[in-house]
């Protein structure tokens, strides 16, 4: 197992499971933000039933499962066996859901599959060098297909490749994974430089309450 897979397996054990139902009583739902019952849903992908969507870093599979449940064909990829095992245990019964353990760039380079949308929710777009990832995503998008991703906004002054630390036991050093942080206008420029069109990046404010960090959401078209 790679160091990256070990890190995300460790992270998986620290994350709570998705609730059985959301505030509307739905058993599957799409959530772009770090807050429950907040922000837009799958409508950002602008997809009709029956089309194909790719989740880069699907984690425990809740978002991909929702797309499959509403009639889309959803491929969810992740490097973490633990995350995918949890996804398969909860959502594996859905006929439109395809879960695969693979690195995002490797999958996109080696696959001949194309998609109507590629998306990432605090996933591989955040944790992969955009110079490597953005070109291969665009190659796998059908004409007019959409790339949409969300992640935390950057800390002011901390841009480009940064370190994320995943804690382990008291007597162990944390595991480290790299992430890429940019302001909205920098993401717009990066995507435009890689041939994407209609690029929009914005920070959705946090819901009312003690937490104030919003969610960066970026949308683009191939």
């Amino acid at each position: 197992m790679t160091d990256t897979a070990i890190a995300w397996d460790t992270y998986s054990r620290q994350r709570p499971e998705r609730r059985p139902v959301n505030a509307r009583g739905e058993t599957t739902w799409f959530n772009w933000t770090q807050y429950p019952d907040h922000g837009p849903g799958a409508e950002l992908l602008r997809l009709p039933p029956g089309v194909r969507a790719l989740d880069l870093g699907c984690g425990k599979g809740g978002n991909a499962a929702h797309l499959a449940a509403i009639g889309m064909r959803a491929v969810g990829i992740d490097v973490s066996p633990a995350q995918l095992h949890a996804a398969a245990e909860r959502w594996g019964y859905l006929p439109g859901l395809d879960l695969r353990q693979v690195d995002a760039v490797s999958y996109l380079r080696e696959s001949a599959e194309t998609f109507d949308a590629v998306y990432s929710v605090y996933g591989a777009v955040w944790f992969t060098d955009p110079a490597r990832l953005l070109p291969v995503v665009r190659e796998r998008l059908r004409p007019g297909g959409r790339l949409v991703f969300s992640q935390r906004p950057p800390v002011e002054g901390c841009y480009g490749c940064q370190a994320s630390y995943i804690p382990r036991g008291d007597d162990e050093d944390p595991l480290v994974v790299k992430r890429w942080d940019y302001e909205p206008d920098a993401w717009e420029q990066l995507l435009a430089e890689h041939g994407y069109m209609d690029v929009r990046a914005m920070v959705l404010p946090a819901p009312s309450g003690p937490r104030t960090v919003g969610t960066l959401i970026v949308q683009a078209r191939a």
Side-chain angles (χ1 to χ4, degrees):
M1 189 184 301
T2 66
D3 291 344
T4 301
I6 292 169
W8 291 117
D9 270 6
T10 302
Y11 175 81
S12 175
R13 291 191 290 270
Q14 300 168 8
R15 293 290 298 166
E17 299 296 324
R18 181 173 279 212
R19 297 164 295 158
V21 297
N22 66 5
R24 294 188 294 271
E26 299 163 327
T27 57
T28 68
W29 63 94
F30 202 107
N31 185 19
W32 294 99
T33 82
Q34 66 269 46
Y35 303 105
D37 307 307
H38 174 65
E43 67 273 8
L44 288 190
L45 298 174
R46 302 182 188 176
L47 295 178
V51 300
R52 289 174 58 81
L54 174 63
D55 188 333
L56 297 178
C58 66
K60 295 181 180 179
N63 289 322
H66 177 69
L67 297 184
I70 61 175
M72 300 177 199
R73 290 173 290 167
V75 176
I77 67 171
D78 206 286
V79 297
S80 165
Q83 298 264 51
L84 291 172
H85 178 74
E89 279 203 326
R90 181 162 179 181
W91 312 111
Y93 66 91
L94 291 166
L97 181 62
D98 182 4
L99 300 170
R100 307 181 191 183
Q101 184 188 346
V102 64
D103 166 77
V105 173
S106 298
Y107 174 77
L108 291 162
R109 282 178 175 167
E110 296 166 8
S111 172
E113 296 176 279
T114 58
F115 297 90
D116 300 278
V118 175
Y119 68 92
S120 168
V121 179
Y122 288 69
V125 175
W126 199 10
F127 296 98
T128 308
D129 184 348
R132 298 175 62 232
L133 184 64
L134 293 179
V136 289
V137 168
R138 189 166 177 267
E139 289 175 2
R140 298 276 75 83
L141 278 170
R142 294 172 181 164
R146 292 174 61 75
L147 169 63
V148 186
F149 59 93
S150 65
Q151 58 198 54
R152 289 183 187 271
V155 174
E156 185 176 358
C158 298
Y159 308 123
C161 185
Q162 306 290 316
S164 287
Y165 294 91
I166 299 174
R168 294 193 284 179
D170 292 340
D171 297 325
E172 297 178 286
D173 290 331
L175 296 163
V176 181
V177 293
K178 295 177 181 179
R179 69 177 195 273
W180 276 261
D181 287 336
Y182 297 100
E183 293 282 5
D185 58 349
W187 274 117
E188 290 177 350
Q189 181 177 342
L190 274 171
L191 285 156
E193 288 173 354
H194 285 284
Y196 291 85
M197 300 178 289
D198 300 334
V199 184
R200 291 185 295 156
M202 52 84 71
V203 175
L204 178 71
S208 299
R211 296 177 63 185
T212 60
V213 177
T215 303
L216 174 67
I217 300 177
V218 183
Q219 305 175 62
R221 181 170 60 85

